[in-house]
Amino acid sequence: MKKTATRLADGRELLYFDSRDDAVRDTTDRRPLQPPDAASEIRRDPLVGDGVAIAAQRQDRPLHPAADSCPLCPSRDGRPTEIPAPAYEVAVFENRFPALSGDSGRCEVVCFTDDHDASFAALDEDRAALVLAAWTDRTAELALLPAVEQVYCFENRGHEIGVTLGHPHGQIYGYPFVTPRTGRMLDSAAAHRERTGGRNLFDDVVADELADGRRIVLDGDHWLAFVPYAARWPYEIRLHPRRRVPDLPSLDDAARAEFPRVYLELLRRFDRIFGPAQPPTPYVSGWHQAPFRHPHRSEFALHLELFTSRRAPGKLKFVAGSEAGMNVFINDVRPEAAADRLREVASA
């Protein structure tokens, strides 16, 4: 892999990730852009302690532009975009409309391919491996920033999820605090360790799923995918490396080599859940990684969470009263039934 670092016209960082060492990335961004003049801030909810990012500049971000105006496609004559090169493999750049910035963290955009009409599931294994290398690089680099405590690499896919740009892409958030969900996991792990005389919660959850077997979706040499016992979403998968590690840079070569095949298979199964007549399945896919400076960081287990808000053809699971107001999820699909379906739609 070759990484080339450059700058956009307004000073934001742009990184190209290429599979070939002889790739040349020297195209200059000639757009008349001014440096960003708005920064986000973090406010704390005094009742529950959660951090909330206030980012009013995001009101001006593009909303469903036409394909010939997509800011994530390569630049063409007379149509400059966020990526000056006429073609690229994987590109990462600082978000022009960040939710987190400056002392309040960092937001980056990851373009998985220069093909506007593709999807992650349509990538080949080599490109998926290159995306994994980019996620790993950015996690390691953002860990060096004093303002970043935790990194979340994720993809939102589909209008139903709220995606504003149709080009295949994801995002990377460098949070300036430990997120509430991660904090609860760490608290649960600490309580489990105390209750069981030192056992690891994540290891025991994986062992319990293997022993039960009903919710296992895919069982690889180095990765295990299962529907959680208390899944919140109609179709939800957790993907764990068999060797527990805290984050992406800690994965070994064997896990990295197997990941593209496993992950692409899971995404392709998601697109087959509801049958060939249905549009592509909307989903959120994200890496849960350990905070960089937490005292029990080594006890956290890296895992990927993949879920969809579609519960049946033409029907969505909405985050409404109970979920949005009280954080109590109500799932309309039994996790065991979801796992059955995800096994049924395996590649031939």
Side-chain angles (χ1 to χ4, degrees):
M1 180 198 77
K2 179 181 180 181
K3 181 175 78 169
T4 304
T6 184
R7 293 279 173 181
L8 295 170
D10 56 5
R12 289 175 293 130
E13 189 173 27
L14 166 65
L15 303 164
Y16 294 102
F17 291 86
D18 288 286
S19 56
R20 295 178 46 149
D21 290 338
D22 60 353
V24 176
R25 301 297 184 186
D26 56 4
T27 310
T28 301
D29 181 13
R30 301 189 182 282
R31 294 174 297 170
L33 299 180
Q34 296 298 317
D37 58 2
S40 62
E41 63 174 305
I42 302 297
R43 298 185 181 183
R44 289 282 176 182
D45 183 332
L47 298 183
V48 296
D50 290 352
V52 178
I54 308 298
Q57 72 274 13
R58 287 173 56 78
Q59 287 278 41
D60 298 325
R61 66 191 187 274
L63 179 64
H64 305 308
D68 60 2
S69 300
C70 175
L72 306 185
C73 287
S75 291
R76 299 285 189 265
D77 290 342
R79 191 174 69 82
T81 71
E82 289 282 70
I83 304 169
Y88 65 86
E89 291 188 72
V90 175
V92 179
F93 59 89
E94 288 184 78
N95 198 323
R96 190 176 178 187
F97 304 96
L100 306 165
S101 60
D103 293 338
S104 298
R106 176 159 163 142
C107 289
E108 298 180 343
V109 176
V110 185
C111 297
F112 306 136
T113 171
D114 61 6
D115 183 352
H116 181 85
D117 297 318
S119 67
F120 203 122
L123 303 180
D124 61 26
E125 292 186 15
D126 288 342
R127 180 60 58 84
L130 189 61
V131 175
L132 176 62
W135 284 333
T136 303
D137 174 273
R138 302 317 301 145
T139 298
E141 290 294 320
L142 294 180
L144 303 176
L145 299 181
V148 173
E149 291 290 332
Q150 181 181 1
V151 166
Y152 183 49
C153 307
F154 65 98
E155 179 192 4
N156 296 328
R157 191 243 198 151
H159 292 298
E160 300 94 330
I161 297 295
V163 172
T164 58
L165 296 175
H167 194 104
H169 74 288
Q171 300 182 66
I172 300 175
Y173 277 19
Y175 293 103
F177 50 77
V178 177
T179 62
R181 184 163 173 79
T182 302
R184 291 186 65 182
M185 289 189 216
L186 289 164
D187 290 344
S188 295
H192 184 81
R193 182 176 64 249
E194 180 69 22
R195 186 170 60 249
T196 62
R199 296 183 62 85
N200 182 273
L201 173 62
F202 298 96
D203 291 348
D204 284 354
V205 166
V206 170
D208 288 346
E209 291 293 349
L210 279 168
D212 184 291
R214 291 177 297 165
R215 292 176 295 278
I216 301 297
V217 173
L218 195 152
D219 190 354
D221 292 334
H222 303 283
W223 294 89
L224 180 74
F226 58 88
V227 176
Y229 170 75
R232 299 173 301 161
W233 297 95
Y235 292 89
E236 176 181 340
I237 291 176
R238 290 184 191 162
L239 177 64
H240 282 251
R242 286 188 173 275
R243 183 178 72 88
R244 174 168 48 88
V245 295
D247 55 20
L248 288 168
S250 304
L251 286 172
D252 60 25
D253 291 342
R256 291 185 188 282
E258 188 180 61
F259 172 78
R261 178 183 64 80
V262 170
Y263 186 51
L264 290 172
E265 171 65 16
L266 292 177
L267 292 182
R268 290 162 186 169
R269 290 191 196 190
F270 254 53
D271 274 345
R272 292 193 289 267
I273 293 173
F274 304 104
Q278 293 298 307
T281 301
Y283 65 73
V284 175
S285 177
W287 287 104
H288 291 265
Q289 306 192 77
F292 299 124
R293 288 170 277 277
H294 194 276
H296 296 292
R297 162 183 164 79
S298 63
E299 298 179 25
F300 190 86
L302 168 75
H303 60 282
L304 181 140
E305 187 177 52
L306 170 65
F307 62 87
T308 179
S309 58
R310 185 179 292 166
R311 57 187 174 88
K315 299 178 180 178
L316 294 178
K317 162 68 180 175
F318 291 102
V319 177
S322 184
E323 293 87 358
M326 297 300 287
N327 200 27
V328 177
F329 274 70
I330 302 165
N331 192 349
D332 301 311
V333 179
R334 284 184 60 81
E336 292 76 18
D340 285 342
R341 180 57 180 160
L342 288 162
R343 288 191 294 265
E344 289 172 359
V345 295
S347 298

